[in-house]
Amino acid sequence: MNNKEAEFAILKVAYLMTALDGHIDESEQKMFDNLAVRCREIDVDQAKIVLAHVESATKRMLKEYERSTASRAEERVLAVFEKEVDGVCDWAEFVRDSARVRKAFVMWMAMVTADGEYSKVEKKALESLRRRVNGYPLIGEDFLKSVEQETSVLQDLNRQIADASSLSKSKKLHELQDKAFARIATLVNG
């Protein structure tokens, strides 16, 4: 699996995750765009291809919330998610690069927390992904907790930067953001 194929897989799963909680909001759209920018092998037009590949699946996931009670919908949404994830890539090949897998989990965690919520169904989906790749042990609970903490810090810093009242405050917040990205890079690189 080359880097481009891996980035397509990561982004497909990331976008599938936007529909897990029953709606796709603007913050999740923006996060997807930010994640796509972080993929070095994929340009904007190719990111649109990713959306086209998973569009029908995300629509099916969203419709489950219209058709069913909340608890039943979550089961059905997770079933659609699992089926779609199965076809995203050859997971045995994907997990051969542990840094790639850690990067994927950082990006997926950023996606599910983009709207300021980390719902039960999103946790189940992320746990499902962890179990999938841990058939080839790589992602532990400690790693996920660290990633959750760091993405939370980044989300908070992003809000503070948007509300910064001065250039000097914005600069300090950007420096803190750079440090958080450095900590995430350390998590990704092991």
Side-chain angles (χ1 to χ4, degrees), residues 21-185:
D21 59 3
H23 55 79
I24 301 172
D25 66 18
E26 188 177 325
S27 62
E28 291 167 322
Q29 294 285 353
K30 286 181 182 179
M31 180 56 71
F32 180 81
D33 293 342
N34 289 337
L35 295 178
V37 168
R38 298 233 174 251
C39 292
R40 295 183 181 130
E41 303 290 328
I42 296 176
D43 63 27
V44 174
D45 291 331
Q46 292 168 328
K48 290 177 185 175
I49 293 169
V50 169
L51 295 177
H53 280 255
V54 295
E55 181 179 18
S56 64
T58 55
K59 285 180 181 178
R60 284 195 314 275
M61 291 165 70
L62 295 172
K63 283 184 182 181
E64 288 299 337
Y65 280 99
E66 295 171 11
R67 288 186 228 174
S68 308
T69 63
S71 62
R72 184 75 176 131
E74 285 182 4
E75 285 178 36
R76 291 180 177 188
V77 165
L78 284 170
V80 172
F81 176 78
E82 287 288 330
K83 183 179 178 193
E84 291 299 320
V85 167
D86 284 343
V88 164
C89 70
D90 176 355
W91 289 99
E93 183 70 23
F94 182 86
V95 300
R96 288 187 179 196
D97 182 337
S98 60
R100 171 192 304 152
V101 173
R102 287 190 297 270
K103 175 183 177 181
F105 275 87
V106 167
M107 294 175 89
W108 296 335
M109 180 67 74
M111 182 55 76
V112 296
T113 59
D115 61 1
E117 297 176 26
Y118 187 27
S119 70
K120 186 171 84 173
V121 69
E122 290 168 332
K123 288 178 183 178
K124 286 180 180 179
L126 209 51
E127 179 59 27
S128 168
L129 289 166
R130 185 177 75 89
R131 281 192 311 271
R132 176 184 304 274
V133 300
N134 275 347
Y136 321 89
L138 293 171
I139 303 296
E141 272 187 56
D142 293 341
F143 175 79
L144 278 182
K145 285 180 183 177
S146 297
V147 169
E148 181 180 356
Q149 289 171 337
E150 291 302 331
T151 55
S152 176
V153 167
L154 282 173
Q155 298 292 345
D156 187 48
L157 286 169
N158 284 337
R159 284 187 287 277
Q160 290 180 48
I161 288 169
D163 296 335
S165 57
S166 69
L167 186 57
S168 64
K169 184 171 183 165
S170 178
K171 181 181 176 187
K172 287 178 185 176
L173 291 169
H174 276 92
E175 289 171 358
L176 291 173
Q177 188 181 48
D178 290 343
K179 288 178 183 177
F181 278 125
R183 289 190 303 270
I184 287 176

